[in-house]
Amino acid sequence: MQTKLLSACREGDQAIIERIGGRGALRKRLLEMGFNRGERISIIKYAPLRDPMEVQLKGFHVSLRVSEAQLIEIRKV
Amino acid sequence: MHSLRKTSDLRGPKKSETHARTKMRIALAGNPNSGKTSLFNLLTGARQHVGNWGGVTVEIKEGTAFNGDERVGVIDLPGTYSLSAYSLEERVARDFIVEERPDVVINVIDASNLERNLYLTVQLLELGIRPILAFNMWDEVQARGIHIDSTMLSRLLGVTIVPTVGKTGAGTRELLAAAVQQARQKQPSFGPPLSHVPPELAQEIDALARQPAIQKLEACSPQWIAVKLFEYDQQVEQLVSNLPEGAAILEMRDKAAMSIDQLLGYDTESLIAESRYGLIAGALKETVSVSRIDKIQLSDKIDTVMTHPFWAYPIFIAFMWLLFQATFVIGDYPMQWIEAGFALLGEAVSQTLPPGNLRGLLVDGVIGGVGGVAVFLPNILILFLGIAVMEDTGYMARAAFIMDKVMHKIGLHGKSFIPILIGMGCNVPAILAARTLESDKDRIKTILLSPLISCSARLPVYVLFAGALFPRHAGNIVFLFQFVFGTAAFFLMGLVFKKTLFRGEDYPFVMELPPYRLPTIRSVLVHMWHRSEHYLKKMGGVVLAFSVILWFLGEYPKNQELHQRYQTKIEAVRTTENVTQDQRQQLIERLRAQEKAESVRYSAIGRIGRFIEPALKPLGFDWRASVSLVTGFVAKEIVVSSMGVLYAVSDETVGATESLQEKIAEYFTPVTAFAFMMFVLLYTPCIVALLTVIRELHSWKWSVFSLVYQIGLAWIVTFAVYQIGRLLV
């Protein structure tokens, strides 16, 4: 199993978060919204213009830009 | 930026210093979408007002609730996911809790989404606050078959839990009673030590907290300060760096953080966030179970349609069309009634008062000014009703979701499309709609750009000029100005701002997509009213004052000599023998119109117009056009009526517009007409819009910039249009 970025996932993928990169306000927001290591997330869909994307974790839905999803390292399951 | 409300404020003892309080104060904290505002409205009813906190744009609403006979103050803090003080909202919420020390904090929680909502709760506990938890949306929890052992959870977290239903108001009385009861008990002064971080990190936190300098900070527990330092909290870092030992402490922190990073392979900031979630997961594991797969699937089904790769946009356009039509077409009826009402009032006053200055002031200045504000009310009410429905159903988040890519190109948030759309009707509600944006930067940028969208009041100008000089292409020219150029200006200036003034990191888009919900009529109406009320209260007085000032500028100084000369001429016509009655009447009307046109020259506005004429000459405008543009600050439709006066077209002649069109065709060339329309499109839309911008920006620096950049942009673009046009044609 190899680590990749959340931004490279496709609709319907399931993944486990490995680590959050980046820094500052954005990183903090991600951590506080529950993007933690070991958390299981499912990629629900991309917006019609392929950006932003919608994921589900901890039982709620979050949208984030693809550029933001590039900070999230995951492994697919 | 408002980085810290006086660093030292975090220190001093609070309760004793603040003004003597007679009544108890309860603060409501909670995530966005937790139903906090609805609960606030249920608790306080109509007894509330909006207060600003430390001069920032974030508002804090205050109201009064009754627990039996006892009056209790309730404060609605901004909705936040956390208390990290990264965004303005979070900073305001945290500052309020730390500095104002409310007697008790009610933490409103979406009980159907416990895990994420409890994150804020854990942060409150760390701050030494023992909140009352309102487990809101309890009906949804039950409908979805989620079982929560709240007795157990309450014991595990050491807090009181009260289930509530924002839709029906169930549980609010119990909530208030529980809050009042807790406020009477003595609160623990500081929070319990953090038990949920990895032991290695806990050691370092302890070590840092034991530093004498940190021990001396009185308002917050040393533990809390140390945790915040390991979270790289800017506000607390600032506080610590102001201490004499600050540099040493921060260095100690950096060393410890580095060694933890090496030891545990992750940074302290993430470890702390994770351990909070760990604590929550532990507590929920023992207390929450889901007995059946919930029916949230319905929400997912709706969403597959609403954000469908193809259908998303037709649906979006249909909703926007509906919003626009409702705002401006349905809104037009009450608008006409209001206009007619004010016209009647004006007439009544005209009939009771003798002609003269007082009458003019009352009718044109005061009644016209108040009417000018009131007339927008139907638009604003309907628009905010629409926005409230979109927000409360959850569609707003989806609209932002599908529009974000386009808007982000100019560094804006997906929600910024609403001002564009609404601005095509009227810029005033469009500017107000920027309130839906969370980040200050997005809000300022959207407010600055919104006036560029061509509003419907500019339409009469385009119709007049296009009809006069481009009779064969009038429709196309009007369309270009009304829809294309304004929107293009919005995007181009957005790009310019992104590359110049607003460089740097964008506000995180990361946003919750709440499940689709059916809002209650009550909550939608309350949301609508609170937003609109603001406009009325804040704008009424200002616009009235300005319209009175503008009336004076338009009327004074009067030129008596001019008046006398025309009186003599009119008398002369009256006594002429060899004309018919009709002809005589026409001659008199024409003389009156000429007098009006000439007297405008001598009024302050006319003088300003003539004074600035040299500045507008390079754009191809004569003094009449300049004066019309100055009067256009009042409202864009005034430009047309001023031109009617200035080019001395009597209203009484057949078909007023037609004759004005002839005059315009005579005085303007296609190039100058095009330039004139361009200027009208780009410069300040009207006094109400300008004042709204100033009100909403909350900053003189930005307000002045907004005025200067719009006029500057209008001048430069029009100059280019005229000079290039002259060469080509």
Side-chain angles (χ1 to χ4, degrees), chain A residues 19-20 25 27-29 32-34 36-37 45 48-49 51-52 54 58 60-63 65 68, chain B residues 81-82 84 86 115-116 231 266-267 270 274 277 303 307 313 401 404-405 408 509-511 513:
Chain A
R19 115 177 253 117
I20 310 292
R27 177 166 208 268
K28 184 135 228 155
R29 187 76 181 266
E32 292 183 332
M33 289 290 267
N36 304 146
R37 286 180 303 176
K45 67 163 81 85
L49 301 174
D51 189 14
E54 176 180 350
K58 294 188 192 290
F60 69 98
H61 293 245
V62 187
S63 81
R65 289 184 181 134
E68 293 167 342
Chain B
Y81 292 115
S82 116
S84 294
Y86 251 111
E115 205 169 345
R116 208 218 39 236
E231 284 192 286
Y266 216 25
D267 63 295
S270 316
E274 279 184 8
Y277 270 114
D303 201 52
T307 59
Y313 294 103
F401 181 68
D404 186 66
K405 181 150 191 198
H408 191 220
F509 178 72
V510 188
M511 164 185 80
L513 292 170

Side-chain angles (χ1 to χ4, degrees), chain B residues 74-331:
Chain B
V74 184
I75 296 111
D76 189 22
L77 298 175
T80 58
Y81 292 115
S82 116
L83 291 178
S84 294
Y86 251 111
S87 75
L88 203 59
E89 282 78 5
E90 288 175 0
R91 214 145 50 209
V92 168
R94 185 165 98 185
D95 285 348
F96 190 91
I97 291 171
V98 173
E99 292 172 26
E100 296 282 312
R101 288 275 154 184
D103 296 293
V104 64
V105 175
I106 293 179
N107 182 191
V108 183
I109 281 176
D110 171 1
S112 65
N113 188 358
L114 271 184
E115 205 169 345
R116 208 218 39 236
N117 274 259
L118 285 174
Y119 190 86
L120 182 69
T121 314
V122 174
Q123 287 191 316
L124 285 170
L125 289 169
E126 286 169 13
L127 253 182
I129 305 287
R130 200 149 57 90
I132 299 281
L133 303 192
F135 272 22
N136 202 19
M137 311 197 187
W138 194 252
D139 53 333
E140 265 183 54
V141 170
Q142 285 171 325
R144 283 167 59 179
I146 304 172
H147 180 77
I148 302 174
D149 182 351
S150 45
T151 326
M152 177 79 148
L153 188 57
S154 151
R155 202 175 319 139
L156 284 173
L157 296 174
V159 294
T160 309
I161 295 172
V162 182
T164 56
V165 180
K167 264 185 227 166
T168 59
T172 43
R173 199 177 305 157
E174 291 83 350
L175 178 68
L176 190 61
V180 168
Q181 197 197 347
Q182 176 156 323
R184 291 236 171 78
Q185 292 165 1
K186 220 173 144 53
Q187 295 220 24
S189 54
F190 293 126
L194 291 164
S195 56
H196 44 278
V197 292
E200 297 86 346
L201 178 54
Q203 263 177 15
E204 298 293 350
I205 291 173
D206 271 343
L208 203 58
R210 275 198 305 272
Q211 292 301 305
I214 291 185
Q215 293 275 342
K216 266 186 270 170
L217 296 172
E218 277 171 350
C220 307
S221 81
Q223 283 275 350
W224 185 81
I225 299 271
V227 168
K228 287 292 143 190
L229 283 177
F230 278 111
E231 284 192 286
Y232 300 92
D233 185 287
Q234 288 167 346
Q235 203 176 3
V236 172
E237 276 184 357
Q238 181 76 37
L239 170 72
V240 169
S241 68
N242 283 348
L243 300 173
E245 309 87 338
I249 289 175
L250 290 180
E251 199 182 325
M252 184 179 163
R253 187 270 319 261
D254 289 341
K255 265 190 197 151
M258 210 188 297
S259 79
I260 291 287
D261 202 335
Q262 277 164 0
L263 199 64
L264 301 178
Y266 216 25
D267 63 295
T268 53
E269 186 185 7
S270 316
L271 286 168
I272 292 170
E274 279 184 8
S275 41
R276 288 194 188 115
Y277 270 114
L279 176 83
I280 296 165
L284 293 184
K285 208 169 160 189
E286 293 177 48
T287 52
V288 176
S289 58
V290 180
S291 57
R292 61 192 136 98
I293 297 301
D294 56 68
K295 62 156 195 175
I296 206 161
Q297 284 158 350
L298 175 65
S299 175
D300 290 343
K301 271 187 197 143
I302 298 175
D303 201 52
T304 40
V305 181
M306 294 300 189
T307 59
H308 185 275
F310 177 76
W311 291 110
Y313 294 103
I315 292 173
F316 171 73
I317 290 167
F319 277 142
M320 291 302 110
W321 183 84
L322 209 67
L323 183 65
F324 189 87
Q325 294 292 320
T327 304
F328 295 108
V329 176
I330 300 178

Side-chain angles (χ1 to χ4, degrees), chain B residues 575-593:
Chain B
T575 48
T576 342
E577 296 289 330
N578 54 350
V579 288
T580 66
Q581 192 63 29
D582 272 1
Q583 282 175 318
R584 187 176 297 160
Q585 206 52 42
Q586 254 181 18
L587 276 171
I588 292 177
E589 290 296 345
R590 188 171 302 161
L591 281 171
R592 288 235 165 93

Side-chain angles (χ1 to χ4, degrees), chain B residues 485-549:
Chain B
F485 291 162
T487 316
F490 184 100
F491 278 90
L492 287 175
M493 281 315 290
L495 263 182
V496 171
F497 283 155
K498 186 189 170 182
K499 295 266 148 77
T500 56
L501 288 170
F502 293 89
R503 262 186 308 204
E505 217 182 325
D506 286 328
Y507 186 75
F509 178 72
V510 188
M511 164 185 80
E512 187 186 2
L513 292 170
Y516 289 93
R517 289 194 172 104
L518 199 62
T520 61
I521 294 174
R522 188 195 142 95
S523 80
V524 166
L525 289 179
V526 168
H527 286 167
M528 170 196 87
W529 177 243
H530 282 309
R531 284 214 165 109
S532 321
E533 187 191 15
H534 205 76
Y535 164 78
L536 270 187
K537 276 191 186 159
K538 285 205 158 172
M539 299 304 299
V542 190
V543 174
L544 176 63
F546 270 83
S547 59
V548 167
I549 292 171

Side-chain angles (χ1 to χ4, degrees), chain B residues 590-606:
Chain B
R590 188 171 302 161
L591 281 171
R592 288 235 165 93
Q594 278 172 5
E595 182 193 347
K596 220 173 161 190
E598 272 198 65
S599 67
V600 171
R601 278 179 71 116
Y602 294 101
S603 73
I605 283 191

Side-chain angles (χ1 to χ4, degrees), chain B residues 408-724:
Chain B
H408 191 220
K409 289 239 187 316
I410 55 170
L412 283 175
H413 189 277
K415 283 183 197 165
S416 298
F417 66 85
I418 290 193
I420 298 190
L421 174 92
I422 296 304
M424 290 179 181
C426 174
N427 292 157
V428 174
I431 296 158
L432 292 171
R435 283 172 172 247
T436 53
L437 293 161
E438 271 176 70
S439 113
D440 225 30
K441 203 163 115 180
D442 287 350
R443 203 158 27 206
I444 293 176
K445 211 149 78 169
T446 308
I447 292 171
L448 289 176
L449 292 172
S450 293
L452 295 175
I453 297 294
S454 192
C455 65
S456 56
R458 289 173 231 193
L459 188 65
V461 181
Y462 307 147
V463 170
L464 172 68
F465 278 81
L469 287 139
F470 309 95
R472 282 196 298 167
H473 304 287
N476 292 336
I477 296 278
V478 170
F479 178 81
L480 272 180
F481 276 96
Q482 190 65 32
F483 296 107
V484 182
F485 291 162
T487 316
F490 184 100
F491 278 90
L492 287 175
M493 281 315 290
L495 263 182
V496 171
F497 283 155
K498 186 189 170 182
K499 295 266 148 77
T500 56
L501 288 170
F502 293 89
R503 262 186 308 204
E505 217 182 325
D506 286 328
Y507 186 75
F509 178 72
V510 188
M511 164 185 80
E512 187 186 2
L513 292 170
Y516 289 93
R517 289 194 172 104
L518 199 62
T520 61
I521 294 174
R522 188 195 142 95
S523 80
V524 166
L525 289 179
V526 168
H527 286 167
M528 170 196 87
W529 177 243
H530 282 309
R531 284 214 165 109
S532 321
E533 187 191 15
H534 205 76
Y535 164 78
L536 270 187
K537 276 191 186 159
K538 285 205 158 172
M539 299 304 299
V542 190
V543 174
L544 176 63
F546 270 83
S547 59
V548 167
I549 292 171
L550 281 170
W551 179 82
F552 272 107
L553 293 179
E555 291 289 320
Y556 289 89
K558 288 209 190 286
N559 189 314
Q560 283 306 326
E561 192 200 329
L562 184 83
H563 184 64
Q564 284 305 327
R565 204 166 51 201
Y566 274 96
Q567 266 330 100
T568 345
K569 279 191 192 168
I570 288 170
E571 280 310 310
V573 173
R574 283 223 170 99
T575 48
T576 342
E577 296 289 330
N578 54 350
V579 288
T580 66
Q581 192 63 29
D582 272 1
Q583 282 175 318
R584 187 176 297 160
Q585 206 52 42
Q586 254 181 18
L587 276 171
I588 292 177
E589 290 296 345
R590 188 171 302 161
L591 281 171
R592 288 235 165 93
Q594 278 172 5
E595 182 193 347
K596 220 173 161 190
E598 272 198 65
S599 67
V600 171
R601 278 179 71 116
Y602 294 101
S603 73
I605 283 191
R607 282 162 204 256
I608 295 170
R610 281 187 297 158
F611 177 73
I612 61 161
E613 191 200 344
L616 296 181
K617 206 148 210 155
L619 314 183
F621 304 156
D622 64 0
W623 73 270
R624 291 183 188 86
S626 307
V627 174
S628 313
L629 288 174
V630 174
T631 61
F633 271 97
V634 182
K636 284 291 154 293
E637 56 269 39
I638 305 277
V639 172
V640 174
S641 56
S642 308
M643 291 192 130
V645 171
L646 289 164
Y647 292 99
V649 184
S650 163
D651 277 337
E652 306 303 314
T653 45
V654 237
T657 3
E658 265 175 32
S659 53
L660 181 54
Q661 271 189 354
E662 281 163 23
K663 287 276 180 187
I664 295 293
E666 191 181 309
Y667 282 94
F668 283 81
T669 67
V671 175
T672 53
F674 204 87
F676 191 84
M677 286 191 273
M678 196 52 102
F679 199 90
V680 167
L681 167 66
L682 294 173
Y683 86 116
T684 315
C686 67
I687 190 78
V688 187
L690 177 66
L691 293 171
T692 312
V693 165
I694 294 172
R695 278 284 182 198
E696 294 296 299
L697 284 172
H698 284 268
S699 141
W700 279 107
K701 197 187 78 182
W702 280 119
S703 301
V704 170
F705 172 78
S706 137
L707 183 66
V708 171
Y709 112 80
Q710 282 174 45
I711 295 175
L713 178 72
W715 196 91
I716 292 167
V717 173
T718 312
F719 178 77
V721 165
Y722 175 63
Q723 297 298 340
I724 295 169

